[in-house]
Amino acid sequence: MRDTRESRLLLVLLIAIAFALITVDIRGGEDSPVDGARQAAAGVFGPVENGVAAAVDPVGNAIGAVRDSGRRHDRISALERENAELKARLGSDDRNRSRARELDKMLKKAGAGQYGIKGAEVIAIGAAQGFSWTVTIDIGSREGIQRDMTVLNGDGLVGRVTTVGPHTATVLLANDPDFTVGTRMEKTDELGFATGQGDRPLAVQLLNGKAKVKKGDRLVTFGSQASKPFVPGVPIGEVVRVDPSGGDLTRTIYVNPYVGFSKLDIVGVVVQAPRTDPRDTVLPPKPAAPKPTPTVTVTVNPGQNDAQGDAQGDAQNNAQGDDQTEPQTDRTDSIQDDQNTPQDDQNSVQNDQNGVNNGQTQGTGRSDGQAQGDSQNDQQ
């Protein structure tokens, strides 16, 4: 349509009609006169609007997704960073707790042995000197560290300092083949020398070839002159195997060290030796012997059935015994009576004879007396 005076008048007229219809619709409320026309228009154009919306919405959503993708990506990146920070924080907390436990255990060892120590952290494994079993710690001569100082941790002997720099030091570990330390057996005080064997148990050569050693016996450091390179009483390990003596002057045993050399973290360098030998006081307490498990013995008591059975058995036995005993007793009594009857007859005969004899004896006595009297009278 060209821009003419008529077209402008028509546009103004349509606008005026639209405002008039809007005003009438607003004032009419629910009874608006244009409500019927609105419903008719909705019935005609509603399906068309739904079809157009169905066709246009995916395009609009895609455009919105493209527009919001940048913000979503930034949000995802922020969440990932927060997640990583939380994981790192949790991991560091666990590590800090573990290191705190190690430090506490080491301080208790130092207190038990009266060692003056300086704590250090293992920062590297191996050294430029070419030792096969060494670590580097983060303290050196500036912190008072010197060569040939004893190094320990919360478990026991770690090694000795071999090289010292201004801020670092190299420690030769106790399991290195070039490492040797004097040892003393717990309780028996048998002396020896321990040598490292890498990842195998330490080999300890006892000076007494007849020393009595068994599996589980424990060893500590014997100590060196002026406590260098080793202070006394530091736990070394437990005996795991004993070679037969074979009549040799020395005896070899094998000791499993307390320290895990492949997982060192916090260590302590002994800068002040104890005033007295702590001997066995630094050794960890032995675990208590397991208590014997109580054994429950179940005794089966005879029941009523057994009692009744015994009573019945006794009654039967008594009845049978009585039945068998009564006839036998009667027969025995009859026989005894039969035997007693002749004996009674004999006794009666014997009594009769005795009576006759007694009578004869009494008569003879009287006759003799009378005869003697008569003889005396005749003589007078």
Side-chain angles (χ1 to χ4, degrees):
M1 179 181 291
R2 289 181 298 177
D3 187 11
T4 60
R5 184 175 181 181
E6 289 80 4
S7 61
R8 290 178 181 178
L9 290 174
L10 180 59
L11 178 60
V12 171
L13 180 60
L14 292 176
I15 293 173
I17 293 171
F19 274 107
L21 291 175
I22 292 172
T23 302
V24 171
D25 185 33
I26 292 174
R27 288 183 177 180
E30 295 181 355
D31 298 331
S32 174
V34 296
D35 186 59
R38 183 187 299 112
Q39 293 179 358
V44 174
F45 295 105
V48 177
E49 290 177 352
N50 290 334
V52 173
V56 174
D57 283 345
V59 178
N61 293 335
I63 295 173
V66 172
R67 184 175 59 250
D68 296 337
S69 61
R71 291 195 298 271
R72 291 180 180 176
H73 179 72
D74 295 340
R75 180 59 178 165
I76 292 172
S77 299
L79 291 174
E80 289 177 349
R81 286 194 299 271
E82 291 177 3
N83 192 19
E85 291 175 359
L86 289 174
K87 288 182 178 180
R89 189 178 303 172
L90 291 174
S92 63
D93 290 343
D94 292 340
R95 185 165 181 253
N96 289 336
R97 283 192 292 268
S98 176
R99 299 180 74 184
R101 287 193 296 268
E102 290 183 16
L103 181 60
D104 181 67
K105 187 163 62 172
M106 184 178 68
L107 292 176
K108 289 180 179 179
K109 278 280 190 295
Q114 299 180 352
Y115 307 126
I117 64 171
K118 285 196 174 182
E121 181 181 357
V122 174
I123 58 175
I125 298 175
Q129 288 82 356
F131 296 118
S132 56
W133 291 90
T134 61
V135 294
T136 302
I137 57 177
D138 62 350
I139 57 175
S141 58
R142 297 286 180 89
E143 290 78 21
I145 304 303
Q146 299 177 4
R147 192 166 181 256
D148 287 338
M149 283 185 169
T150 305
V151 182
L152 52 80
N153 68 359
D155 296 321
L157 180 67
V158 173
R160 63 181 177 89
V161 177
T162 56
T163 305
V164 181
H167 302 288
T168 60
T170 302
V171 178
L172 179 66
L173 300 180
N175 63 339
D176 188 273
D178 292 333
F179 185 94
T180 302
V181 58
T183 65
R184 182 173 58 80
M185 295 287 299
E186 180 186 15
K187 296 181 180 179
T188 62
D189 294 336
E190 294 288 349
L191 302 180
F193 294 94
T195 303
Q197 296 192 112
D199 55 358
R200 294 180 296 169
L202 306 176
V204 180
Q205 192 173 31
L206 296 179
L207 301 182
N208 182 6
K210 298 180 180 180
K212 295 182 180 180
V213 187
K214 64 181 183 300
K215 185 178 179 180
D217 288 346
R218 305 186 294 181
L219 293 86
V220 298
T221 56
F222 176 69
S224 306
Q225 182 70 26
S227 297
K228 285 190 176 183
F230 302 108
V231 294
V234 181
I236 296 176
E238 295 184 358
V239 176
V240 293
R241 184 162 63 90
V242 180
D243 282 350
S245 59
D248 297 334
L249 297 178
T250 60
R251 191 172 192 181
T252 302
I253 62 176
Y254 298 92
V255 176
N256 190 27
Y258 288 124
V259 175
F261 298 105
S262 61
K263 51 183 179 181
L264 292 171
D265 187 10
I266 302 297
V267 298
V269 181
V270 180
V271 296
Q272 184 178 357
R275 294 181 180 179
T276 58
D277 188 350
R279 302 186 70 81
D280 303 335
T281 59
V282 190
L283 283 168
K286 287 187 176 182
K291 295 182 180 180
T293 304
T295 303
V296 179
T297 303
V298 179
T299 303
V300 180
N301 295 322
Q304 295 180 353
N305 293 332
D306 295 337
Q308 292 176 357
D310 293 339
Q312 292 176 359
D314 294 338
Q316 291 177 358
N317 293 331
N318 293 332
Q320 292 176 359
D322 294 339
D323 294 339
Q324 295 175 358
T325 303
E326 289 178 356
Q328 185 176 0
T329 303
D330 295 338
R331 290 193 297 270
T332 303
D333 294 340
S334 301
I335 295 171
Q336 187 68 29
D337 293 338
D338 295 338
Q339 292 177 354
N340 290 333
T341 300
Q343 186 68 30
D344 293 337
D345 296 337
Q346 293 177 0
N347 291 333
S348 299
V349 173
Q350 186 67 33
N351 290 331
D352 295 337
Q353 293 177 356
N354 289 334
V356 173
N357 293 330
N358 290 331
Q360 292 175 356
T361 302
Q362 293 176 357
T364 305
R366 288 191 299 269
S367 300
D368 292 339
Q370 293 175 358
Q372 187 175 1
D374 294 337
S375 176
Q376 288 178 358
N377 293 324
D378 293 335
Q379 291 177 1
Q380 291 177 357

